[in-house]
Amino acid sequence: MSARTILTSLTALALLGGCASTGWMAPQAAPVEMAEPADDGIVAGLLADSRVQTAFGEIEAMRTLNNERLVELTEIPAPPFAEQARGADMAARMRALGLTDVTIDAVGNVIARRPGTAGSEARSIAIVAHLDTVFPEGTDVTVHREGDLFTAPGIGDNSRGLVVLLSLIDAMQRAGIETRDDLVFIASVGEEGLGDLRGVRHLYENDASPFSSFIAIDGGDAARLVVTAVGSIRYRVTFSGPGGHSYGHFGRAQPHQALAEAILRFTEAATPITLDGTKATFSFGRVGGGTSVNSIPFESWMEVDMRSANPEKLDALHRAFLSSVDAALEAANARRRLGDALTVDLDPVGSRPPGEGDLGAPIVLHAMAAIRAMGEEPELTASSTDANIPISRGIPSVTMSRGGISRNAHAPNESWQDENSHEAIQMALLVALAEAGLVSGE
């Protein structure tokens, strides 16, 4: 079959967020091109297995239980860098489902290993959903339900992902499924925004390749399959000066003018980089500074986000940004008539590695086959998720749907609707078993 281009939605990543939530306001993602690969038939074989069909039935039967889990998990706050309570709850739930090897690591990741039959020869297959939300401490996370519609901050992104992890464990335990390789279920910390993927980064700090393949659960559209990692570079930039009275000290260098000039210069330099080829973006997410209308501010700050799945484009944006800030500082100081010169502080607040996955890797073929088994046509796309880390290291990785319909991710009125939500869990089960190997029941 000839090469085809599949256009999909790339999630709006508000509040400096980084996850793969989909919603009605999501902009169009850059296309991912691939030649149609051959299906290896493994997923079809799994579908014919009686134990898999039993697990499918169990997944459908636990719909009410899963919605109870969803409400309970959502109402445990998990603000940035404070996921401990939700993590402890997940660890207890994993143990209650029969997993004995459950630990919480130094940064707060909850890691539950379901051993395979291969013993010391077993590979490790990671299945990951993040614990954290973008919402600050003190946010009201009470869930409001109207029929099958659940509304609360973080309920889709990513409390529902955690429910998928629990459902997979539960269904395999109930159906008596054994795998050749180990399945490692991970509730990760720090996926969102300034967390900068710190949970998954930690997993790779002491072992360059702790997992043979990596499945992230994040994002709503059942057909959506993330195979390419959108990298990002983020800074908080602060121009500082002596400040003073707007009239009495007129002529001193103005931090706001320097900031405005940096924005303008970077916009002019970066725009051509974004016009063609692999998608590249930049944004000035927040700005601030100043004390009153009749004062020269003593500081002016902004937070800047740059993104692309192409390392060369991301590097080009980065270089243009640094040059623009330097030029703006020089120009502002050249204009001053009196007082000390401005200084600038560039504080890196995030760096997510980009990478293009192997579109012919078995995990991608298995995920596509699993999506098709549910009557959907796979939509391959690029996004920023926990899978960025393994993709950038060449580890076969995908990010799959958490199921249902997610809306308004990262907003206080975020909602999740229970519509065919069992299908995403069934898809993830098929991919997990295809990767880990279903042990014969004979």
Side-chain angles (χ1 to χ4, degrees):
M1 187 173 181
S2 61
R4 59 194 177 95
T5 300
I6 307 170
L7 294 177
T8 58
S9 295
L10 180 63
T11 285
L13 294 164
L15 300 175
L16 289 176
C19 56
S21 305
T22 53
W24 62 272
M25 293 187 71
Q28 289 298 306
V32 173
E33 299 183 0
M34 68 174 292
E36 184 68 23
D39 184 355
D40 58 16
I42 291 178
V43 168
L46 291 170
L47 287 166
D49 190 281
S50 62
R51 290 162 299 165
V52 174
Q53 288 302 315
T54 297
F56 271 29
E58 295 289 354
I59 289 168
E60 293 185 35
M62 65 177 73
R63 177 185 177 190
T64 298
L65 172 60
N66 278 342
N67 286 338
E68 292 172 356
R69 289 167 168 161
L70 179 67
V71 172
E72 291 163 0
L73 285 165
T74 301
E75 292 186 342
I76 302 172
F81 301 94
E83 307 97 331
Q84 296 89 340
R86 186 177 286 185
D89 185 80
M90 278 294 291
R93 289 174 186 270
M94 289 170 165
R95 294 188 184 102
L97 290 173
L99 300 190
T100 58
D101 186 358
V102 181
T103 59
I104 299 177
D105 70 15
V107 298
N109 293 314
V110 182
I111 305 169
R113 184 176 295 271
R114 191 174 191 269
T117 60
S120 61
E121 301 298 318
R123 304 181 311 151
S124 293
I125 312 301
I127 308 175
V128 183
H130 65 87
L131 286 161
D132 57 318
T133 72
V134 301
F135 299 97
E137 189 172 356
T139 299
D140 183 358
V141 290
T142 304
V143 178
H144 301 278
R145 180 174 185 178
E146 296 180 14
D148 291 333
L149 180 66
F150 299 78
T151 303
I155 193 155
D157 185 14
N158 195 29
S159 295
R160 171 62 190 182
L162 299 174
V163 170
V164 172
L165 291 191
L166 296 174
S167 303
L168 290 171
I169 299 168
D170 200 356
M172 285 191 284
Q173 299 289 80
R174 295 187 191 192
I177 286 175
E178 289 187 301
T179 57
R180 179 191 64 249
D181 295 321
D182 294 356
L183 290 172
V184 185
F185 296 90
I186 302 170
S188 66
V189 297
E191 192 273 348
E192 296 284 8
L194 298 182
D196 205 32
L197 309 181
R198 80 179 191 282
V200 174
R201 285 183 195 275
H202 181 77
L203 297 175
Y204 283 85
E205 278 183 0
N206 299 316
D207 188 341
S209 183
F211 309 110
S212 297
S213 56
F214 189 102
I215 305 164
I217 306 297
D218 199 356
D221 188 345
R224 187 171 183 265
L225 184 65
V226 177
V227 294
T228 297
V230 174
S232 62
I233 297 173
R234 294 166 175 165
Y235 279 94
R236 183 181 173 99
V237 181
T238 305
F239 288 94
S240 301
H245 192 281
S246 62
Y247 186 81
H249 298 125
F250 183 72
R252 290 182 177 177
Q254 295 259 6
H256 283 351
Q257 290 176 354
L259 188 82
E261 186 158 352
I263 290 174
L264 178 59
R265 285 177 179 265
F266 179 48
T267 298
E268 291 176 340
T271 296
I273 301 170
T274 69
L275 293 180
D276 52 35
T278 304
K279 185 173 182 178
T281 66
F282 61 93
S283 176
F284 310 97
R286 298 201 304 158
V287 297
T291 56
S292 69
V293 69
N294 60 334
S295 298
I296 299 170
F298 63 87
E299 73 170 16
S300 185
W301 60 265
M302 64 177 170
E303 290 176 344
V304 183
D305 173 275
M306 296 164 273
R307 297 181 183 236
S308 182
N310 183 293
E312 289 76 20
K313 281 208 163 191
L314 189 58
D315 182 61
L317 286 174
H318 190 198
R319 286 186 282 106
F321 165 74
L322 295 176
S323 296
S324 299
V325 170
D326 286 344
L329 178 67
E330 183 178 349
N333 283 329
R335 284 192 297 267
R336 84 184 195 281
R337 303 177 193 172
L338 54 92
D340 294 335
L342 296 180
T343 61
V344 66
D345 178 58
L346 284 82
D347 181 18
V349 295
S351 177
R352 298 180 178 223
E356 296 184 4
D358 179 2
L359 302 183
I363 193 170
V364 176
L365 307 188
H366 298 153
M368 293 177 69
I371 291 170
R372 288 190 175 117
M374 297 297 126
E376 301 278 356
E377 184 60 23
E379 298 175 350
L380 276 62
T381 190
S383 190
S384 179
T385 71
D386 271 335
N388 274 47
I389 303 296
I391 288 175
S392 72
R393 293 169 178 254
I395 308 301
S397 308
V398 293
T399 298
M400 300 186 68
S401 169
R402 55 181 168 252
I405 300 173
S406 295
R407 298 183 179 91
N408 300 327
H410 295 191
N413 64 337
E414 181 177 348
S415 67
W416 181 82
Q417 186 171 342
D418 184 1
E419 183 174 307
N420 297 321
S421 60
H422 62 281
E423 292 182 353
I425 306 171
Q426 293 169 342
M427 290 176 191
L429 176 64
L430 290 172
V431 179
L433 295 181
E435 289 295 300
L438 178 64
V439 174
S440 174
E442 298 179 356

